[in-house]
Amino acid sequence: NLIKEISLHNVIFKMQLIPDGLSLDYFKIDNENIYEESIIFILNSILKKHKNNEVVFFDIGSYMGYYASFVSARSKNETKCVAIESNNEYYKTILKTKRLNNFINLEVFNEALSNNIQEIMIHRNMTFNKNKLIEHKKNMIDYHEILDANKSLLDGVTKKSITLDQL
C-alpha cells in the first residue's frame, strides 16, 4: 500500500501510488522538487484568479489523479473536478486517493475519451524493466518508440471510447 503525502504550494494531500516502476520516481516530490512544476504553477494561478465554484477542472488521461487531487485539495473541495482514466488499475488508484482525502468534489470515470466513438487499445500493464527504460532515456529515445519496439511490455484490452458529450 503506497501512500504518499504531497505538499505543493502549501496544499497538502495524500496520494495512492502503484508500484509500476515509473510513478515511484515521478512522485518523489516536495516543495523543492515538484513533478511537472510548470503545470502546477499554471493551475495554482488560474485557481487564484477565480472563485472555486466558478471553475470545473477536467483531468483527462488522469493516470493516478495528480492534477485532480491538487485542484481538489487546493480548492478545499469547492471546485468541481472530473478525472477521466481509461486504465482500470489507475482508475481504482484515483478512487483510493479520493477516499483517502474525502474529495467530495471529485468525480472519477473509468472511460476512454475521444472526439468520436471508436474501439481503442487500453494498456493495462505499464510495468517496465526500469533499467531498460533508463538506458533508453539516456540514448534519447522517445517513450513511445520504446513502447512501439517492445510490444511485449504492454498488456492491453480494447474498449469503446466515448465523447465528452456522452459523459
Side-chain angles (χ1 to χ4, degrees):
N1 211 6
L2 301 166
I3 298 171
K4 169 87 175 172
E5 186 170 280
I6 296 177
S7 176
L8 303 167
H9 298 277
N10 299 315
V11 175
I12 299 170
F13 60 94
K14 292 178 183 164
M15 195 164 157
Q16 175 72 46
L17 302 179
I18 57 173
D20 66 355
L22 295 175
S23 67
L24 298 177
D25 287 336
Y26 285 154
F27 294 102
K28 287 181 182 171
I29 54 181
D30 52 40
N31 276 322
E32 288 90 42
N33 302 299
I34 299 175
Y35 171 67
E36 296 194 354
E37 183 173 10
S38 59
I39 295 173
I40 292 296
F41 178 81
I42 291 166
L43 287 174
N44 203 32
S45 297
I46 291 169
L47 293 170
K48 281 181 182 177
K49 290 179 184 175
H50 299 280
K51 291 181 181 173
N52 289 329
N53 61 359
E54 294 176 346
V55 176
V56 177
F57 177 73
F58 284 86
D59 188 356
I60 300 169
S62 193
Y63 185 37
M64 289 185 290
Y66 176 67
Y67 301 119
S69 296
F70 173 76
V71 172
S72 292
R74 164 77 172 67
S75 71
K76 297 177 176 65
N77 273 327
E78 292 181 15
T79 296
K80 181 176 180 176
C81 294
V82 179
I84 304 167
E85 177 52 56
S86 60
N87 179 303
N88 197 45
E89 185 178 357
Y90 299 150
Y91 163 76
K92 289 176 185 176
T93 301
I94 299 166
L95 290 176
K96 288 177 185 174
T97 295
K98 177 182 176 171
R99 282 191 299 273
L100 278 170
N101 295 282
N102 194 28
F103 287 149
I104 58 174
N105 63 321
L106 176 58
E107 292 183 58
V108 185
F109 295 94
N110 185 211
E111 297 290 349
L113 198 62
S114 180
N115 61 334
N116 54 38
I117 299 167
Q118 60 189 354
E119 290 289 324
I120 59 171
M121 176 65 75
I122 305 298
H123 301 293
R124 291 185 295 190
N125 183 353
M126 295 298 282
T127 304
F128 295 96
N129 175 327
K130 218 168 152 183
N131 293 329
K132 191 171 192 174
L133 186 62
I134 290 167
E135 176 187 321
H136 285 300
K137 282 183 178 180
K138 285 179 184 172
N139 294 327
M140 305 294 283
I141 296 175
D142 183 74
Y143 169 78
H144 295 286
E145 288 179 31
I146 296 168
L147 297 182
D148 288 342
N150 297 284
K151 296 289 187 196
S152 63
L153 293 173
L154 302 175
D155 179 22
V157 296
T158 58
K159 185 174 191 173
K160 187 172 245 178
S161 66
I162 64 167
T163 64
L164 196 54
D165 292 336
Q166 292 175 297
L167 197 60

PDB file of all heavy atoms in Angstrom, residues 100-133:
ATOM      1  N   LEU A 100      -9.096   8.581   0.486  1.00  0.00           N
ATOM      2  CA  LEU A 100      -8.081   8.979   1.470  1.00  0.00           C
ATOM      3  C   LEU A 100      -8.232  10.439   1.900  1.00  0.00           C
ATOM      4  O   LEU A 100      -7.973  10.795   3.044  1.00  0.00           O
ATOM      5  CB  LEU A 100      -6.668   8.818   0.887  1.00  0.00           C
ATOM      6  CG  LEU A 100      -6.025   7.464   0.902  1.00  0.00           C
ATOM      7  CD1 LEU A 100      -4.748   7.476   0.068  1.00  0.00           C
ATOM      8  CD2 LEU A 100      -5.712   7.042   2.327  1.00  0.00           C
ATOM      9  N   ASN A 101      -8.626  11.281   0.947  1.00  0.00           N
ATOM     10  CA  ASN A 101      -8.701  12.723   1.190  1.00  0.00           C
ATOM     11  C   ASN A 101     -10.126  13.242   1.360  1.00  0.00           C
ATOM     12  O   ASN A 101     -10.322  14.429   1.563  1.00  0.00           O
ATOM     13  CB  ASN A 101      -8.055  13.466   0.018  1.00  0.00           C
ATOM     14  CG  ASN A 101      -6.585  13.171  -0.085  1.00  0.00           C
ATOM     15  OD1 ASN A 101      -5.783  13.714   0.653  1.00  0.00           O
ATOM     16  ND2 ASN A 101      -6.219  12.287  -1.004  1.00  0.00           N
ATOM     17  N   ASN A 102     -11.096  12.362   1.236  1.00  0.00           N
ATOM     18  CA  ASN A 102     -12.501  12.760   1.290  1.00  0.00           C
ATOM     19  C   ASN A 102     -12.792  13.874   0.282  1.00  0.00           C
ATOM     20  O   ASN A 102     -13.403  14.890   0.610  1.00  0.00           O
ATOM     21  CB  ASN A 102     -12.900  13.175   2.717  1.00  0.00           C
ATOM     22  CG  ASN A 102     -14.406  13.250   2.873  1.00  0.00           C
ATOM     23  OD1 ASN A 102     -15.150  12.552   2.185  1.00  0.00           O
ATOM     24  ND2 ASN A 102     -14.855  14.109   3.765  1.00  0.00           N
ATOM     25  N   PHE A 103     -12.360  13.674  -0.963  1.00  0.00           N
ATOM     26  CA  PHE A 103     -12.601  14.648  -2.033  1.00  0.00           C
ATOM     27  C   PHE A 103     -14.035  14.482  -2.542  1.00  0.00           C
ATOM     28  O   PHE A 103     -14.300  13.748  -3.488  1.00  0.00           O
ATOM     29  CB  PHE A 103     -11.606  14.453  -3.191  1.00  0.00           C
ATOM     30  CG  PHE A 103     -10.204  14.891  -2.909  1.00  0.00           C
ATOM     31  CD1 PHE A 103      -9.142  14.234  -3.517  1.00  0.00           C
ATOM     32  CD2 PHE A 103      -9.929  15.959  -2.076  1.00  0.00           C
ATOM     33  CE1 PHE A 103      -7.835  14.638  -3.289  1.00  0.00           C
ATOM     34  CE2 PHE A 103      -8.618  16.364  -1.831  1.00  0.00           C
ATOM     35  CZ  PHE A 103      -7.575  15.706  -2.444  1.00  0.00           C
ATOM     36  N   ILE A 104     -14.956  15.185  -1.919  1.00  0.00           N
ATOM     37  CA  ILE A 104     -16.369  15.064  -2.301  1.00  0.00           C
ATOM     38  C   ILE A 104     -16.669  15.769  -3.619  1.00  0.00           C
ATOM     39  O   ILE A 104     -17.688  15.510  -4.249  1.00  0.00           O
ATOM     40  CB  ILE A 104     -17.294  15.595  -1.191  1.00  0.00           C
ATOM     41  CG1 ILE A 104     -16.973  17.056  -0.858  1.00  0.00           C
ATOM     42  CG2 ILE A 104     -17.198  14.719   0.053  1.00  0.00           C
ATOM     43  CD1 ILE A 104     -17.913  17.710   0.118  1.00  0.00           C
ATOM     44  N   ASN A 105     -15.786  16.648  -4.049  1.00  0.00           N
ATOM     45  CA  ASN A 105     -15.974  17.396  -5.300  1.00  0.00           C
ATOM     46  C   ASN A 105     -15.393  16.683  -6.521  1.00  0.00           C
ATOM     47  O   ASN A 105     -15.512  17.165  -7.630  1.00  0.00           O
ATOM     48  CB  ASN A 105     -15.316  18.768  -5.187  1.00  0.00           C
ATOM     49  CG  ASN A 105     -13.812  18.656  -5.000  1.00  0.00           C
ATOM     50  OD1 ASN A 105     -13.327  17.776  -4.294  1.00  0.00           O
ATOM     51  ND2 ASN A 105     -13.076  19.531  -5.631  1.00  0.00           N
ATOM     52  N   LEU A 106     -14.776  15.542  -6.322  1.00  0.00           N
ATOM     53  CA  LEU A 106     -14.086  14.836  -7.400  1.00  0.00           C
ATOM     54  C   LEU A 106     -14.945  13.693  -7.938  1.00  0.00           C
ATOM     55  O   LEU A 106     -15.315  12.781  -7.196  1.00  0.00           O
ATOM     56  CB  LEU A 106     -12.748  14.288  -6.895  1.00  0.00           C
ATOM     57  CG  LEU A 106     -11.917  13.435  -7.858  1.00  0.00           C
ATOM     58  CD1 LEU A 106     -11.577  14.199  -9.131  1.00  0.00           C
ATOM     59  CD2 LEU A 106     -10.648  12.949  -7.164  1.00  0.00           C
ATOM     60  N   GLU A 107     -15.273  13.770  -9.222  1.00  0.00           N
ATOM     61  CA  GLU A 107     -15.965  12.679  -9.905  1.00  0.00           C
ATOM     62  C   GLU A 107     -14.920  11.932 -10.728  1.00  0.00           C
ATOM     63  O   GLU A 107     -14.106  12.553 -11.413  1.00  0.00           O
ATOM     64  CB  GLU A 107     -17.045  13.218 -10.835  1.00  0.00           C
ATOM     65  CG  GLU A 107     -18.213  13.857 -10.123  1.00  0.00           C
ATOM     66  CD  GLU A 107     -19.274  14.293 -11.110  1.00  0.00           C
ATOM     67  OE1 GLU A 107     -19.772  13.436 -11.864  1.00  0.00           O
ATOM     68  OE2 GLU A 107     -19.577  15.493 -11.122  1.00  0.00           O
ATOM     69  N   VAL A 108     -14.952  10.610 -10.666  1.00  0.00           N
ATOM     70  CA  VAL A 108     -13.964   9.794 -11.352  1.00  0.00           C
ATOM     71  C   VAL A 108     -14.680   8.846 -12.310  1.00  0.00           C
ATOM     72  O   VAL A 108     -15.629   8.163 -11.925  1.00  0.00           O
ATOM     73  CB  VAL A 108     -13.114   8.986 -10.344  1.00  0.00           C
ATOM     74  CG1 VAL A 108     -12.004   8.235 -11.058  1.00  0.00           C
ATOM     75  CG2 VAL A 108     -12.547   9.892  -9.261  1.00  0.00           C
ATOM     76  N   PHE A 109     -14.232   8.836 -13.567  1.00  0.00           N
ATOM     77  CA  PHE A 109     -14.838   7.999 -14.589  1.00  0.00           C
ATOM     78  C   PHE A 109     -13.802   7.055 -15.187  1.00  0.00           C
ATOM     79  O   PHE A 109     -12.698   7.477 -15.514  1.00  0.00           O
ATOM     80  CB  PHE A 109     -15.432   8.856 -15.719  1.00  0.00           C
ATOM     81  CG  PHE A 109     -16.574   9.716 -15.267  1.00  0.00           C
ATOM     82  CD1 PHE A 109     -16.359  11.023 -14.861  1.00  0.00           C
ATOM     83  CD2 PHE A 109     -17.861   9.217 -15.255  1.00  0.00           C
ATOM     84  CE1 PHE A 109     -17.407  11.824 -14.434  1.00  0.00           C
ATOM     85  CE2 PHE A 109     -18.924  10.009 -14.838  1.00  0.00           C
ATOM     86  CZ  PHE A 109     -18.699  11.316 -14.431  1.00  0.00           C
ATOM     87  N   ASN A 110     -14.177   5.799 -15.330  1.00  0.00           N
ATOM     88  CA  ASN A 110     -13.331   4.803 -15.972  1.00  0.00           C
ATOM     89  C   ASN A 110     -13.763   4.693 -17.438  1.00  0.00           C
ATOM     90  O   ASN A 110     -14.472   3.783 -17.836  1.00  0.00           O
ATOM     91  CB  ASN A 110     -13.461   3.460 -15.249  1.00  0.00           C
ATOM     92  CG  ASN A 110     -12.529   2.398 -15.769  1.00  0.00           C
ATOM     93  OD1 ASN A 110     -12.838   1.234 -15.744  1.00  0.00           O
ATOM     94  ND2 ASN A 110     -11.358   2.781 -16.249  1.00  0.00           N
ATOM     95  N   GLU A 111     -13.353   5.678 -18.216  1.00  0.00           N
ATOM     96  CA  GLU A 111     -13.767   5.783 -19.617  1.00  0.00           C
ATOM     97  C   GLU A 111     -12.571   6.163 -20.478  1.00  0.00           C
ATOM     98  O   GLU A 111     -11.613   6.756 -19.999  1.00  0.00           O
ATOM     99  CB  GLU A 111     -14.850   6.856 -19.794  1.00  0.00           C
ATOM    100  CG  GLU A 111     -16.142   6.584 -19.063  1.00  0.00           C
ATOM    101  CD  GLU A 111     -16.950   5.439 -19.643  1.00  0.00           C
ATOM    102  OE1 GLU A 111     -16.635   4.953 -20.750  1.00  0.00           O
ATOM    103  OE2 GLU A 111     -17.925   5.029 -18.979  1.00  0.00           O
ATOM    104  N   ALA A 112     -12.686   5.836 -21.749  1.00  0.00           N
ATOM    105  CA  ALA A 112     -11.719   6.283 -22.753  1.00  0.00           C
ATOM    106  C   ALA A 112     -12.395   7.420 -23.514  1.00  0.00           C
ATOM    107  O   ALA A 112     -13.453   7.227 -24.104  1.00  0.00           O
ATOM    108  CB  ALA A 112     -11.369   5.144 -23.694  1.00  0.00           C
ATOM    109  N   LEU A 113     -11.816   8.579 -23.464  1.00  0.00           N
ATOM    110  CA  LEU A 113     -12.413   9.769 -24.075  1.00  0.00           C
ATOM    111  C   LEU A 113     -11.772  10.034 -25.431  1.00  0.00           C
ATOM    112  O   LEU A 113     -10.554   9.953 -25.585  1.00  0.00           O
ATOM    113  CB  LEU A 113     -12.199  10.970 -23.146  1.00  0.00           C
ATOM    114  CG  LEU A 113     -13.056  12.184 -23.363  1.00  0.00           C
ATOM    115  CD1 LEU A 113     -14.531  11.874 -23.171  1.00  0.00           C
ATOM    116  CD2 LEU A 113     -12.646  13.288 -22.404  1.00  0.00           C
ATOM    117  N   SER A 114     -12.606  10.347 -26.410  1.00  0.00           N
ATOM    118  CA  SER A 114     -12.121  10.625 -27.755  1.00  0.00           C
ATOM    119  C   SER A 114     -13.054  11.644 -28.406  1.00  0.00           C
ATOM    120  O   SER A 114     -14.109  11.956 -27.869  1.00  0.00           O
ATOM    121  CB  SER A 114     -12.094   9.328 -28.576  1.00  0.00           C
ATOM    122  OG  SER A 114     -11.635   9.575 -29.879  1.00  0.00           O
ATOM    123  N   ASN A 115     -12.637  12.152 -29.561  1.00  0.00           N
ATOM    124  CA  ASN A 115     -13.508  13.076 -30.288  1.00  0.00           C
ATOM    125  C   ASN A 115     -14.578  12.329 -31.083  1.00  0.00           C
ATOM    126  O   ASN A 115     -15.487  12.940 -31.625  1.00  0.00           O
ATOM    127  CB  ASN A 115     -12.691  14.002 -31.196  1.00  0.00           C
ATOM    128  CG  ASN A 115     -11.912  13.235 -32.239  1.00  0.00           C
ATOM    129  OD1 ASN A 115     -11.578  12.070 -32.054  1.00  0.00           O
ATOM    130  ND2 ASN A 115     -11.608  13.890 -33.333  1.00  0.00           N
ATOM    131  N   ASN A 116     -14.451  10.989 -31.169  1.00  0.00           N
ATOM    132  CA  ASN A 116     -15.502  10.184 -31.786  1.00  0.00           C
ATOM    133  C   ASN A 116     -15.535   8.809 -31.124  1.00  0.00           C
ATOM    134  O   ASN A 116     -14.618   8.420 -30.423  1.00  0.00           O
ATOM    135  CB  ASN A 116     -15.323  10.073 -33.308  1.00  0.00           C
ATOM    136  CG  ASN A 116     -13.963   9.561 -33.691  1.00  0.00           C
ATOM    137  OD1 ASN A 116     -13.407   8.694 -33.030  1.00  0.00           O
ATOM    138  ND2 ASN A 116     -13.396  10.100 -34.748  1.00  0.00           N
ATOM    139  N   ILE A 117     -16.608   8.099 -31.364  1.00  0.00           N
ATOM    140  CA  ILE A 117     -16.777   6.781 -30.757  1.00  0.00           C
ATOM    141  C   ILE A 117     -16.042   5.762 -31.618  1.00  0.00           C
ATOM    142  O   ILE A 117     -16.273   5.670 -32.822  1.00  0.00           O
ATOM    143  CB  ILE A 117     -18.270   6.436 -30.639  1.00  0.00           C
ATOM    144  CG1 ILE A 117     -18.964   7.473 -29.753  1.00  0.00           C
ATOM    145  CG2 ILE A 117     -18.458   5.038 -30.081  1.00  0.00           C
ATOM    146  CD1 ILE A 117     -20.465   7.419 -29.799  1.00  0.00           C
ATOM    147  N   GLN A 118     -15.125   5.022 -30.978  1.00  0.00           N
ATOM    148  CA  GLN A 118     -14.319   4.046 -31.704  1.00  0.00           C
ATOM    149  C   GLN A 118     -13.748   3.029 -30.727  1.00  0.00           C
ATOM    150  O   GLN A 118     -13.716   3.270 -29.525  1.00  0.00           O
ATOM    151  CB  GLN A 118     -13.186   4.757 -32.442  1.00  0.00           C
ATOM    152  CG  GLN A 118     -12.256   5.519 -31.516  1.00  0.00           C
ATOM    153  CD  GLN A 118     -11.256   6.403 -32.252  1.00  0.00           C
ATOM    154  OE1 GLN A 118     -11.184   6.368 -33.460  1.00  0.00           O
ATOM    155  NE2 GLN A 118     -10.496   7.184 -31.518  1.00  0.00           N
ATOM    156  N   GLU A 119     -13.305   1.908 -31.238  1.00  0.00           N
ATOM    157  CA  GLU A 119     -12.605   0.922 -30.418  1.00  0.00           C
ATOM    158  C   GLU A 119     -11.149   1.365 -30.302  1.00  0.00           C
ATOM    159  O   GLU A 119     -10.510   1.678 -31.304  1.00  0.00           O
ATOM    160  CB  GLU A 119     -12.669  -0.467 -31.067  1.00  0.00           C
ATOM    161  CG  GLU A 119     -14.035  -1.100 -31.039  1.00  0.00           C
ATOM    162  CD  GLU A 119     -14.469  -1.552 -29.656  1.00  0.00           C
ATOM    163  OE1 GLU A 119     -13.624  -2.008 -28.869  1.00  0.00           O
ATOM    164  OE2 GLU A 119     -15.675  -1.433 -29.369  1.00  0.00           O
ATOM    165  N   ILE A 120     -10.663   1.408 -29.080  1.00  0.00           N
ATOM    166  CA  ILE A 120      -9.267   1.792 -28.875  1.00  0.00           C
ATOM    167  C   ILE A 120      -8.590   0.791 -27.947  1.00  0.00           C
ATOM    168  O   ILE A 120      -9.254   0.067 -27.216  1.00  0.00           O
ATOM    169  CB  ILE A 120      -9.132   3.224 -28.316  1.00  0.00           C
ATOM    170  CG1 ILE A 120      -9.852   3.364 -26.982  1.00  0.00           C
ATOM    171  CG2 ILE A 120      -9.652   4.258 -29.291  1.00  0.00           C
ATOM    172  CD1 ILE A 120      -9.575   4.669 -26.288  1.00  0.00           C
ATOM    173  N   MET A 121      -7.274   0.759 -27.993  1.00  0.00           N
ATOM    174  CA  MET A 121      -6.498  -0.139 -27.141  1.00  0.00           C
ATOM    175  C   MET A 121      -6.214   0.561 -25.819  1.00  0.00           C
ATOM    176  O   MET A 121      -5.704   1.683 -25.801  1.00  0.00           O
ATOM    177  CB  MET A 121      -5.175  -0.510 -27.819  1.00  0.00           C
ATOM    178  CG  MET A 121      -4.259  -1.365 -26.971  1.00  0.00           C
ATOM    179  SD  MET A 121      -4.881  -3.002 -26.576  1.00  0.00           S
ATOM    180  CE  MET A 121      -4.663  -3.831 -28.128  1.00  0.00           C
ATOM    181  N   ILE A 122      -6.557  -0.099 -24.728  1.00  0.00           N
ATOM    182  CA  ILE A 122      -6.265   0.403 -23.387  1.00  0.00           C
ATOM    183  C   ILE A 122      -5.182  -0.491 -22.810  1.00  0.00           C
ATOM    184  O   ILE A 122      -5.353  -1.707 -22.714  1.00  0.00           O
ATOM    185  CB  ILE A 122      -7.515   0.339 -22.470  1.00  0.00           C
ATOM    186  CG1 ILE A 122      -8.699   1.073 -23.100  1.00  0.00           C
ATOM    187  CG2 ILE A 122      -7.184   0.878 -21.087  1.00  0.00           C
ATOM    188  CD1 ILE A 122      -8.473   2.529 -23.331  1.00  0.00           C
ATOM    189  N   HIS A 123      -4.077   0.107 -22.415  1.00  0.00           N
ATOM    190  CA  HIS A 123      -2.961  -0.663 -21.855  1.00  0.00           C
ATOM    191  C   HIS A 123      -3.191  -0.861 -20.364  1.00  0.00           C
ATOM    192  O   HIS A 123      -3.356   0.093 -19.623  1.00  0.00           O
ATOM    193  CB  HIS A 123      -1.639   0.052 -22.118  1.00  0.00           C
ATOM    194  CG  HIS A 123      -1.391   0.252 -23.574  1.00  0.00           C
ATOM    195  ND1 HIS A 123      -1.166  -0.815 -24.421  1.00  0.00           N
ATOM    196  CD2 HIS A 123      -1.382   1.367 -24.341  1.00  0.00           C
ATOM    197  CE1 HIS A 123      -1.008  -0.348 -25.647  1.00  0.00           C
ATOM    198  NE2 HIS A 123      -1.135   0.961 -25.626  1.00  0.00           N
ATOM    199  N   ARG A 124      -3.210  -2.118 -19.970  1.00  0.00           N
ATOM    200  CA  ARG A 124      -3.470  -2.447 -18.568  1.00  0.00           C
ATOM    201  C   ARG A 124      -2.197  -2.498 -17.744  1.00  0.00           C
ATOM    202  O   ARG A 124      -2.203  -2.175 -16.574  1.00  0.00           O
ATOM    203  CB  ARG A 124      -4.163  -3.801 -18.457  1.00  0.00           C
ATOM    204  CG  ARG A 124      -5.567  -3.786 -18.984  1.00  0.00           C
ATOM    205  CD  ARG A 124      -6.202  -5.095 -18.737  1.00  0.00           C
ATOM    206  NE  ARG A 124      -5.519  -6.125 -19.499  1.00  0.00           N
ATOM    207  CZ  ARG A 124      -5.954  -7.356 -19.644  1.00  0.00           C
ATOM    208  NH1 ARG A 124      -7.051  -7.728 -19.081  1.00  0.00           N
ATOM    209  NH2 ARG A 124      -5.274  -8.223 -20.365  1.00  0.00           N
ATOM    210  N   ASN A 125      -1.120  -2.947 -18.306  1.00  0.00           N
ATOM    211  CA  ASN A 125       0.077  -3.192 -17.520  1.00  0.00           C
ATOM    212  C   ASN A 125       1.200  -2.299 -18.033  1.00  0.00           C
ATOM    213  O   ASN A 125       1.749  -2.537 -19.087  1.00  0.00           O
ATOM    214  CB  ASN A 125       0.487  -4.666 -17.627  1.00  0.00           C
ATOM    215  CG  ASN A 125       1.681  -4.993 -16.777  1.00  0.00           C
ATOM    216  OD1 ASN A 125       2.283  -4.104 -16.198  1.00  0.00           O
ATOM    217  ND2 ASN A 125       2.020  -6.253 -16.697  1.00  0.00           N
ATOM    218  N   MET A 126       1.545  -1.284 -17.258  1.00  0.00           N
ATOM    219  CA  MET A 126       2.608  -0.370 -17.668  1.00  0.00           C
ATOM    220  C   MET A 126       3.876  -0.614 -16.853  1.00  0.00           C
ATOM    221  O   MET A 126       4.633   0.281 -16.566  1.00  0.00           O
ATOM    222  CB  MET A 126       2.144   1.082 -17.493  1.00  0.00           C
ATOM    223  CG  MET A 126       0.997   1.463 -18.410  1.00  0.00           C
ATOM    224  SD  MET A 126       1.427   1.359 -20.138  1.00  0.00           S
ATOM    225  CE  MET A 126       2.338   2.859 -20.331  1.00  0.00           C
ATOM    226  N   THR A 127       4.089  -1.861 -16.439  1.00  0.00           N
ATOM    227  CA  THR A 127       5.283  -2.195 -15.678  1.00  0.00           C
ATOM    228  C   THR A 127       6.436  -2.403 -16.648  1.00  0.00           C
ATOM    229  O   THR A 127       6.356  -3.206 -17.556  1.00  0.00           O
ATOM    230  CB  THR A 127       5.057  -3.459 -14.839  1.00  0.00           C
ATOM    231  OG1 THR A 127       3.920  -3.245 -14.007  1.00  0.00           O
ATOM    232  CG2 THR A 127       6.260  -3.768 -13.989  1.00  0.00           C
ATOM    233  N   PHE A 128       7.496  -1.668 -16.429  1.00  0.00           N
ATOM    234  CA  PHE A 128       8.659  -1.742 -17.304  1.00  0.00           C
ATOM    235  C   PHE A 128       9.856  -2.265 -16.533  1.00  0.00           C
ATOM    236  O   PHE A 128       9.929  -2.144 -15.320  1.00  0.00           O
ATOM    237  CB  PHE A 128       9.043  -0.339 -17.799  1.00  0.00           C
ATOM    238  CG  PHE A 128       8.019   0.290 -18.668  1.00  0.00           C
ATOM    239  CD1 PHE A 128       7.088   1.158 -18.143  1.00  0.00           C
ATOM    240  CD2 PHE A 128       7.985   0.015 -20.021  1.00  0.00           C
ATOM    241  CE1 PHE A 128       6.143   1.752 -18.944  1.00  0.00           C
ATOM    242  CE2 PHE A 128       7.033   0.601 -20.833  1.00  0.00           C
ATOM    243  CZ  PHE A 128       6.122   1.469 -20.294  1.00  0.00           C
ATOM    244  N   ASN A 129      10.794  -2.791 -17.280  1.00  0.00           N
ATOM    245  CA  ASN A 129      12.102  -3.050 -16.724  1.00  0.00           C
ATOM    246  C   ASN A 129      12.735  -1.665 -16.584  1.00  0.00           C
ATOM    247  O   ASN A 129      13.101  -1.031 -17.562  1.00  0.00           O
ATOM    248  CB  ASN A 129      12.912  -3.939 -17.664  1.00  0.00           C
ATOM    249  CG  ASN A 129      14.312  -4.145 -17.185  1.00  0.00           C
ATOM    250  OD1 ASN A 129      14.921  -3.258 -16.571  1.00  0.00           O
ATOM    251  ND2 ASN A 129      14.850  -5.309 -17.464  1.00  0.00           N
ATOM    252  N   LYS A 130      12.812  -1.188 -15.348  1.00  0.00           N
ATOM    253  CA  LYS A 130      13.245   0.180 -15.078  1.00  0.00           C
ATOM    254  C   LYS A 130      14.628   0.477 -15.668  1.00  0.00           C
ATOM    255  O   LYS A 130      14.841   1.528 -16.249  1.00  0.00           O
ATOM    256  CB  LYS A 130      13.265   0.385 -13.573  1.00  0.00           C
ATOM    257  CG  LYS A 130      12.822   1.717 -13.117  1.00  0.00           C
ATOM    258  CD  LYS A 130      12.620   1.642 -11.622  1.00  0.00           C
ATOM    259  CE  LYS A 130      12.843   2.962 -11.012  1.00  0.00           C
ATOM    260  NZ  LYS A 130      12.720   2.916  -9.580  1.00  0.00           N
ATOM    261  N   ASN A 131      15.556  -0.452 -15.529  1.00  0.00           N
ATOM    262  CA  ASN A 131      16.906  -0.225 -16.049  1.00  0.00           C
ATOM    263  C   ASN A 131      16.902  -0.058 -17.564  1.00  0.00           C
ATOM    264  O   ASN A 131      17.613   0.767 -18.111  1.00  0.00           O
ATOM    265  CB  ASN A 131      17.843  -1.365 -15.647  1.00  0.00           C
ATOM    266  CG  ASN A 131      18.075  -1.393 -14.156  1.00  0.00           C
ATOM    267  OD1 ASN A 131      18.051  -0.361 -13.504  1.00  0.00           O
ATOM    268  ND2 ASN A 131      18.272  -2.575 -13.611  1.00  0.00           N
ATOM    269  N   LYS A 132      16.083  -0.855 -18.241  1.00  0.00           N
ATOM    270  CA  LYS A 132      15.987  -0.765 -19.693  1.00  0.00           C
ATOM    271  C   LYS A 132      15.412   0.597 -20.104  1.00  0.00           C
ATOM    272  O   LYS A 132      15.870   1.217 -21.048  1.00  0.00           O
ATOM    273  CB  LYS A 132      15.115  -1.901 -20.227  1.00  0.00           C
ATOM    274  CG  LYS A 132      15.153  -2.057 -21.714  1.00  0.00           C
ATOM    275  CD  LYS A 132      14.430  -3.336 -22.119  1.00  0.00           C
ATOM    276  CE  LYS A 132      14.729  -3.627 -23.569  1.00  0.00           C
ATOM    277  NZ  LYS A 132      14.187  -4.905 -23.986  1.00  0.00           N
ATOM    278  N   LEU A 133      14.387   1.056 -19.384  1.00  0.00           N
ATOM    279  CA  LEU A 133      13.776   2.346 -19.680  1.00  0.00           C
ATOM    280  C   LEU A 133      14.778   3.484 -19.460  1.00  0.00           C
ATOM    281  O   LEU A 133      14.897   4.379 -20.285  1.00  0.00           O
ATOM    282  CB  LEU A 133      12.530   2.555 -18.817  1.00  0.00           C
ATOM    283  CG  LEU A 133      11.706   3.789 -19.128  1.00  0.00           C
ATOM    284  CD1 LEU A 133      11.163   3.718 -20.547  1.00  0.00           C
ATOM    285  CD2 LEU A 133      10.564   3.929 -18.142  1.00  0.00           C
TER     286      LEU A 133
END
